[in-house]
């Protein structure tokens, strides 16, 4: 018999050792039980860089909570035992309730205590959006359905604040409840609760992207309120205590505040028709609803519905970016962990050159997504007329398009790193995989985002200037990046870009900014590998195709969640 090299002999011995239980044979230790923050160096660096170093301890505590076996188990059960619609009580009265698994409620309580739905509004200081973004990103590594009502509440607050002068009870009752941190799932009028969640209803059967096609009617009543009649085809988290809703009033498409309970304590006429049977995001209830003369209050002026709700939409788009960065990290961390232990052909997977190429490529996506998401979060702290605010106008849709589009192929590739284990529900990868396309669809689908990038580039020269100023900070550091930025500058200067090129342009903005951030701030090997692989014409080919000369081992070591 030919003698095996020492390493292979050790592996073979381990595989045949009768003392090893069948269950642990060549299987990695559980991923759960690690700190998602302290094991993510790129995230820690981005937090410090973008002004939230003060949040380090808190994020470390949150990373430990999220990474615990208990939280992973809560997430698994909230997605296995999915919400149930209860339209009527046993006496035949309409109740329009949704029953959730206790795991959902526990996760909601944890995240609200952390302030994912409110911390930037209650803790106004430099880095506040960044700290929240890091907390939210880690949450997305473990569970995604609960993030929907958290995001909508976070995003709804600026709208409520802006319009509180016209409706004083928004200021006295709703805002304090929306900002409160003790989760209160009870179906009660807001005054009887300790906290409240806010949702949004825009999409109708005949059109979601084109909300001008909305047919829900709003008729003014004598007392300044409106009665809404119509439907919403997607109405997520219907258990929110109020929704911001678009409807056609006399003056055109308008935005309304629609509570679940009326001031007299009765239920508003919001009828849940059914829950969607969704690909993923299964812990979260997404409903179809009819408004049967439901009471609502106008926010802003009639006909100004889109400008009013766009402030909420902007913030939800930020969360799509952060959420997809979290999905990417969640999948990549699982893949790196598995490959670090699993042996095949005498070596760990992580030691196999071709697998190293895959893992390093995945790690680059993780580092780029985290860096971009937190840079964008910082831009959301800017004053309305500041350069960063202009930057956000252009970069939000570009990153919403790009990072959300990167998530499905990255998660699929990470899943394959686990081999057959990755295809099995308990590994969490199937859930992340089903979740991955969603952020690209809601809150403005891919094409709609790219057309928005073109619109911003055409109409808002300050936004283009802000992007180019950011990119200029790294000029001269990498020839490939310089050439990419020069070509992008020419494209952005041309006001007659064809719609059909919008994806190419949005993608070019995203990789330019990612390249700039990584070249400036990440270890040299990371920035170099990103420029070598992303700044070519294809921008995003199959993963695992990094060119020779890239320091794969160093990139993997940095991303390893150990
Ligand atoms: C799980 C889930 C939950 C949701 N929850 C909510 C919710 O709580 N509230 C809510 O209001 N909505 C919700 N939505 C709806 C979501 O926001 C819409 O599905 C989305 O905006 C797209 O609208 P649509 O489905 O009508 O597709 P369409 O608008 O018909 O678009 C279909 C496709 O065409 C593309 N497209 C559209 N216009 C153009 C164009 N001019 N050029 C090129 N391509 C174009 C789009 O990018 C998309 O890929 C939810 C959706 C999902 C999947």
């Amino acid at each position: 018999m030919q003698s095996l090299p020492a390493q292979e002999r050790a592996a073979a011995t381990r595989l045949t050792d009768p003392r090893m239980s069948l269950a642990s044979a060549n299987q990695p230790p559980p991923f759960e039980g690690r700190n998602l923050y302290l094991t993510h160096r790129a995230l820690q660096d981005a937090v410090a860089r973008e002004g939230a170093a003060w949040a380090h301890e808190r994020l470390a505590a949150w990373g430990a909570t999220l990474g615990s076996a208990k939280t992973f188990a809560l997430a698994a059960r909230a997605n296995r035992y999915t919400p149930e619609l209860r339209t009527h009580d046993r006496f035949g009265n309409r109740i329009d309730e949704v029953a959730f698994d206790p795991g959902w409620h526990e996760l909601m309580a944890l995240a609200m205590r952390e302030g994912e739905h409110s911390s930037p509004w209650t803790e106004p200081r430099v880095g506040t959006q960044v700290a929240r973004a890091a907390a939210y990103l880690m949450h997305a590594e473990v569970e995604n359905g609960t993030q929907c009502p958290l995001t909508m509440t976070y995003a709804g607050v600026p709208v409520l604040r802006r319009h509180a002068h016209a409706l004083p009870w928004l200021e006295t009752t709703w805002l304090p409840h929306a900002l409160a941190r003790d989760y209160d799932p009870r179906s009660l009028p807001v005054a009887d609760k300790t906290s409240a969640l806010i949702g949004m209803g825009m999409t109708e059967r005949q059109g979601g992207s084109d909300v001008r096609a909305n047919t829900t009617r709003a008729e003014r009543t004598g007392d300044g309120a409106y009665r809404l009649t119509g439907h919403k085809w997607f109405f997520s988290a219907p258990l929110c205590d109020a929704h911001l809703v678009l409807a056609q009033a006399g003056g055109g498409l308008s935005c309304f505040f629609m509570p679940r309970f009326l001031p007299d304590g009765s239920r508003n006429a919001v009828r849940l028709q059914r829950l969607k049977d969704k690909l993923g995001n299964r812990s979260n209830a997404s409903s179809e609803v009819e408004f049967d003369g439901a009471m609502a209050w106008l926010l802003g002026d009639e006909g100004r519905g889109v400008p009013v709700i766009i402030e909420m939409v902007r913030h939800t788009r930020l969360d799509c970016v952060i959420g997809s960065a979290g999905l990417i990290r969640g999948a990549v961390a699982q893949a790196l962990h598995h490959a670090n232990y699993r042996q095949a052909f005498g070596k760990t997977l992580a030691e196999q050159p071709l697998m190293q190429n895959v893992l390093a490529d995945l790690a680059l996506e993780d580092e780029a997504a985290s860096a971009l998401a937190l840079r964008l979060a910082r831009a959301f702290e800017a004053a309305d007329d500041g350069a960063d605010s202009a930057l956000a106008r252009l970069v939000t849709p570009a990153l919403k398009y790009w990072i959300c589009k990167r998530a499905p192929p990255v998660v699929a590739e990470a899943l394959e790193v686990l081999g057959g284990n990755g295809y099995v529900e308990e590994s969490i990868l199937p859930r992340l995989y089903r979740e991955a396309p969603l952020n690209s669809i809601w809150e403005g689908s891919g094409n709609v985002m790219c057309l928005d990038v073109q619109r911003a580039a055409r109409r808002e020269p300050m936004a283009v200037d802000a992007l180019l100023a950011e990119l200029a900070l790294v000029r001269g550091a990498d020839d490939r990046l310089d050439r990419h930025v020069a070509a992008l500058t020419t494209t952005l200067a041309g006001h007659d870009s064809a719609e059909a090129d919008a994806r190419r342009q949005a993608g070019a903005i995203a990789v330019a900014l990612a390249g700039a951030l990584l070249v400036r701030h990440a270890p040299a090997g990371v920035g170099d590998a990103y420029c070598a692989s992303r700044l070519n014409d294809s921008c995003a080919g199959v993963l695992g195709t990094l060119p020779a000369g890239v320091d794969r081992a160093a990139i993997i070591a940095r991303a390893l969640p150990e």
Side-chain angles (χ1 to χ4, degrees):
M1 187 181 147
Q2 256 184 329
S3 73
L4 291 167
Q7 214 170 16
E8 291 186 28
R9 231 179 7 252
T13 307
R14 201 169 47 248
L15 288 171
T16 54
D17 185 343
R19 289 167 302 179
M20 287 195 76
S21 76
L22 204 56
S24 63
N26 198 21
Q27 296 284 339
F31 180 88
E32 304 85 274
R34 78 195 52 228
N35 188 312
L36 299 187
Y37 185 64
L38 297 179
T39 56
H40 193 184
R41 251 161 284 172
L43 183 65
Q44 291 176 58
D45 289 355
V47 164
R49 182 166 73 236
E50 305 297 355
W54 52 266
H56 181 81
E57 298 298 326
R58 186 163 118 192
L59 289 169
W62 184 228
T65 301
L66 285 170
S68 70
K70 183 178 173 206
T71 307
F72 271 82
L74 290 174
R77 62 170 298 169
N79 283 276
R80 182 171 289 273
Y81 307 111
T82 53
E84 271 180 26
L85 177 61
R86 309 249 166 96
T87 52
H88 295 80
D89 69 11
R90 66 195 175 109
F91 305 109
N93 302 310
R94 269 212 93 109
I95 51 170
D96 297 291
E97 292 286 348
V98 180
F100 289 88
D101 180 79
W104 165 274
H105 293 302
E106 275 198 58
L107 290 167
M108 285 297 297
L110 283 173
M112 285 185 69
R113 204 172 308 137
E114 169 57 31
E116 270 184 50
H117 67 302
S118 66
S119 59
W121 317 130
T122 54
E123 298 165 9
R125 60 184 292 187
V126 172
T128 188
Q129 294 281 3
V130 177
R132 174 193 175 268
Y136 189 95
L137 187 150
M138 290 188 280
H139 185 156
E141 295 177 43
V142 186
E143 213 287 316
N144 311 99
T146 39
Q147 298 198 284
C148 172
L150 296 165
T151 283
M152 291 195 291
T153 304
Y154 154 75
V157 166
V159 182
L160 301 193
R161 280 185 168 169
R162 197 177 287 276
H163 297 281
H165 63 277
L167 300 170
W169 39 264
L170 285 180
E171 183 80 55
T172 52
T173 308
W174 282 93
L175 276 165
H177 278 75
L179 298 173
R181 294 198 180 194
D182 45 347
Y183 173 56
D184 186 345
R186 294 174 300 162
S187 285
L188 291 173
V190 66
D192 299 333
K193 295 186 60 166
T194 54
S195 64
L197 294 167
I198 311 291
M200 102 183 353
M202 298 195 293
T203 309
E204 297 188 2
R205 213 166 10 241
Q206 68 281 359
S209 307
D210 186 1
V211 290
R212 295 168 309 177
N214 274 197
T215 58
T216 295
R217 281 179 295 111
E219 276 154 30
R220 198 195 294 258
T221 65
D223 54 5
Y226 288 71
R227 283 203 179 276
L228 268 55
T229 308
H231 80 283
K232 293 292 163 187
W233 184 234
F234 279 94
F235 196 74
S236 285
L239 270 287
C240 284
D241 299 278
H243 282 76
L244 302 197
V245 170
L246 291 182
Q248 303 284 0
L253 192 65
S254 311
C255 183
F256 295 90
F257 181 83
M258 179 187 273
R260 210 166 152 232
F261 285 84
L262 296 176
D264 66 4
S266 63
R267 284 172 192 271
N268 205 356
V270 178
R271 313 289 185 222
L272 305 190
Q273 301 299 310
R274 60 174 175 164
L275 299 187
K276 301 282 195 189
D277 186 4
K278 297 174 289 183
L279 167 67
N281 201 254
R282 294 182 71 85
S283 64
N284 180 30
S286 298
S287 64
E288 293 167 20
V289 287
E290 281 185 9
F291 303 144
D292 188 11
M295 298 281 287
W297 282 262
L298 182 67
L299 298 177
D301 295 330
E302 283 190 9
R304 303 289 298 160
V306 172
V308 169
I309 208 164
I310 204 71
E311 196 164 6
M312 182 172 191
V313 171
R314 245 169 34 84
H315 286 86
T316 55
R317 287 177 180 166
L318 168 65
D319 272 10
C320 290
V321 170
I322 306 166
S324 285
L327 277 166
I328 287 172
R329 172 60 187 175
V332 171
Q334 296 277 351
L336 289 164
H337 171 71
H338 183 88
N340 200 34
Y341 288 95
R342 177 78 165 181
Q343 305 237 353
F345 304 101
K347 284 191 263 187
T348 64
L349 293 176
E351 289 167 325
Q352 316 275 355
L354 183 51
M355 182 57 96
Q356 281 187 340
N357 203 327
V358 173
L359 296 174
D361 221 355
L362 288 171
L364 286 179
E365 290 289 337
D366 165 26
E367 176 122 19
S370 297
L372 287 170
L374 267 63
R375 175 66 188 91
L376 183 61
R378 176 157 69 88
F380 269 68
E381 292 174 16
D384 282 353
D385 56 354
D388 249 21
S389 170
L391 179 76
R393 171 66 191 95
L394 183 65
V395 166
T396 306
L399 298 189
K400 161 79 166 69
Y401 160 67
W402 182 255
I403 295 184
C404 298
K405 272 276 176 274
R406 296 304 295 148
V410 168
V411 175
E413 198 63 66
L415 183 155
E416 189 171 328
V417 171
L418 274 72
N421 283 5
Y423 207 70
V424 174
E425 204 61 33
E426 289 157 310
S427 75
I428 196 188
L429 267 302
R431 176 147 55 80
L432 298 182
Y433 183 68
R434 288 193 299 272
E435 191 71 31
L438 180 54
N439 280 330
S440 188
I441 295 173
W442 62 13
E443 303 301 336
S445 306
N447 285 353
V448 172
M449 288 299 85
C450 296
L451 294 174
D452 196 38
V453 169
Q454 280 192 333
R455 199 174 308 121
R458 213 169 32 240
R459 292 188 192 162
E460 304 195 29
M462 253 186 83
V464 174
D465 292 347
L467 174 69
L468 296 180
E470 174 95 7
L471 298 175
L473 296 173
V474 74
R475 189 182 297 140
D478 187 291
D479 287 350
R480 297 156 299 193
L481 187 56
D482 286 349
R483 281 196 296 277
H484 180 85
V485 172
L488 176 64
T489 306
T490 308
T491 311
L492 290 173
H495 291 292
D496 50 356
S497 319
E499 269 189 31
D501 285 336
R503 281 188 178 221
R504 190 175 282 276
Q505 286 167 7
I509 290 173
V511 292
L513 191 54
L517 287 169
L518 299 191
V519 166
R520 269 177 81 198
H521 303 296
V526 173
D528 174 60
Y530 194 86
C531 292
S533 55
R534 270 53 174 185
L535 301 181
N536 50 39
D537 200 37
S538 68
C539 278
V542 174
L543 288 153
T545 52
L546 294 175
V550 163
D551 190 349
R552 298 185 299 256
I555 296 169
I556 293 170
R558 176 167 163 79
L560 200 65
E562 302 300 337

